[in-house]
Amino acid sequence: MKGGFVTLEGIEGAGKTTIAAALMSLLEERGHSVQATREPGGTPLAEQLRGILLTRGSETMSPVAETLLMFAARCIHLENRIRPALIRGEWIICDRFTDATRAYQGAGRSVDAGWIDQLAREVHAGLEPDLTLLLDVPVMIGLERARTRRLTRGETVVDRFESETIEFFERVRDAYLSCAAAEPQRFVVIDATQPLEAVVAAAQAALLNTLTQRGEA
Ligand code: T5A
């Protein structure tokens, strides 16, 4: 595939949405076609699955059901949006991907890591991100940022994940750091407690490095 695939990972409030916009600008300035998207979601059908996954309802959703729905949404997203764009030579900036399943369902909800890897092979064999930026922030800081943003927007509903415990998010954060340590060639870990300008600069420098390695800077 000719295009480039960048994923952004981190706990709630790490700054992924904010950084996605800065990466898009950098790519566009250099003449690349680029799309920003997110998971779960990214296509009309996958966004419907996002609604099911994030909304707190009266029925329980087991970790296995949650994992299958995450991969169902991912499969639809890949088939309808990500793979076609990459084949056209475009860049994709994706807010979360399979590392989120490893961190949230694997570490957070104790879903078997081997099974998650098996589903990943089934759904996106031969496709891994060219670059994954892990915006690392202590749990309390991330959750406070997410809470403040929610209040600023006047949102009153807390989704199924935001209502999880501190311990849950600590496991998620640790799992992300373990993923990054296991694949240092794909991951760049950025200290997201820094002022936003410094986080943007670090993220753009990492992307420029990837562009340079591909001869596309
Ligand atoms: N999920 C997802 C799974 O469990 N498994 C999976 O496989 C996948 C794909 C998705 C949920 O789904 C779960 C994980 C999630 O719980 P979401 O809304 O897409 O939910 O994800 P969130 O992480 O909740 O998104 P947020 O929008 O809360 O976090 P962001 O995007 O990381 O944060 P952002 O950019 O909106 O910033 C939050 C606030 O902080 C400020 C921003 O201005 C903003 O107000 N901020 C900073 N302030 C100071 N200094 C900085 N450096 C700052 N960076 C940002």
Side-chain angles (χ1 to χ4, degrees):
M1 266 176 238
K2 296 175 291 174
F5 186 27
V6 179
T7 58
L8 294 165
E9 299 284 0
I11 63 164
E12 269 67 4
K16 299 177 297 299
T17 313
T18 313
I19 295 305
L23 297 183
M24 246 187 121
S25 302
L26 184 139
L27 286 165
E28 283 171 346
E29 279 163 17
R30 281 166 174 71
H32 297 281
S33 290
V34 52
Q35 296 186 37
T37 183
R38 67 176 181 180
E39 290 210 344
T43 76
L45 191 52
E47 288 288 329
Q48 286 185 36
L49 290 175
R50 177 187 177 91
I52 293 169
L53 278 158
L54 298 193
T55 306
R56 284 199 292 173
S58 55
E59 290 181 68
T60 58
M61 186 188 296
S62 71
V64 166
E66 189 178 276
T67 303
L68 289 169
L69 282 174
M70 287 295 177
F71 272 107
R74 182 161 301 134
C75 197
I76 291 164
H77 191 199
L78 281 158
E79 284 171 6
N80 289 283
R81 186 163 179 192
I82 296 179
R83 285 190 192 275
L86 293 175
I87 288 168
R88 287 194 301 270
E90 294 173 19
W91 280 75
I92 290 281
I93 309 288
C94 192
D95 189 335
R96 300 188 184 281
F97 193 61
T98 296
D99 297 307
T101 316
R102 296 189 174 102
Y104 283 76
Q105 281 65 51
R109 304 237 197 267
S110 303
V111 171
D112 182 69
W115 183 57
I116 292 175
D117 284 339
Q118 194 185 333
L119 287 168
R121 280 194 299 276
E122 201 64 51
V123 169
H124 55 92
L127 176 65
E128 290 296 333
D130 296 294
L131 171 68
T132 299
L133 298 180
L134 172 54
L135 304 182
D136 181 53
V137 72
V139 170
M140 295 308 284
I141 296 179
L143 293 183
E144 181 54 28
R145 281 186 194 165
R147 193 183 72 89
T148 306
R149 191 203 44 204
R150 204 167 47 243
L151 293 177
T152 311
R153 289 180 181 168
E155 296 168 359
T156 49
V157 181
V158 176
D159 75 33
R160 284 183 55 249
F161 292 96
E162 287 167 336
S163 50
E164 277 297 341
T165 62
I166 304 295
E167 292 72 27
F168 174 89
F169 288 109
E170 293 288 2
R171 291 198 298 281
V172 170
R173 183 188 180 203
D174 289 348
Y176 269 136
L177 290 168
S178 297
C179 287
E183 287 188 72
Q185 70 290 354
R186 170 163 72 89
F187 273 88
V188 172
V189 182
I190 296 174
D191 174 3
T193 63
Q194 301 177 89
L196 195 50
E197 308 75 57
V199 180
V200 167
Q204 290 187 328
L207 177 56
L208 268 176
N209 189 39
T210 298
L211 283 166
T212 304
Q213 283 172 6
R214 292 164 55 104
E216 297 175 23

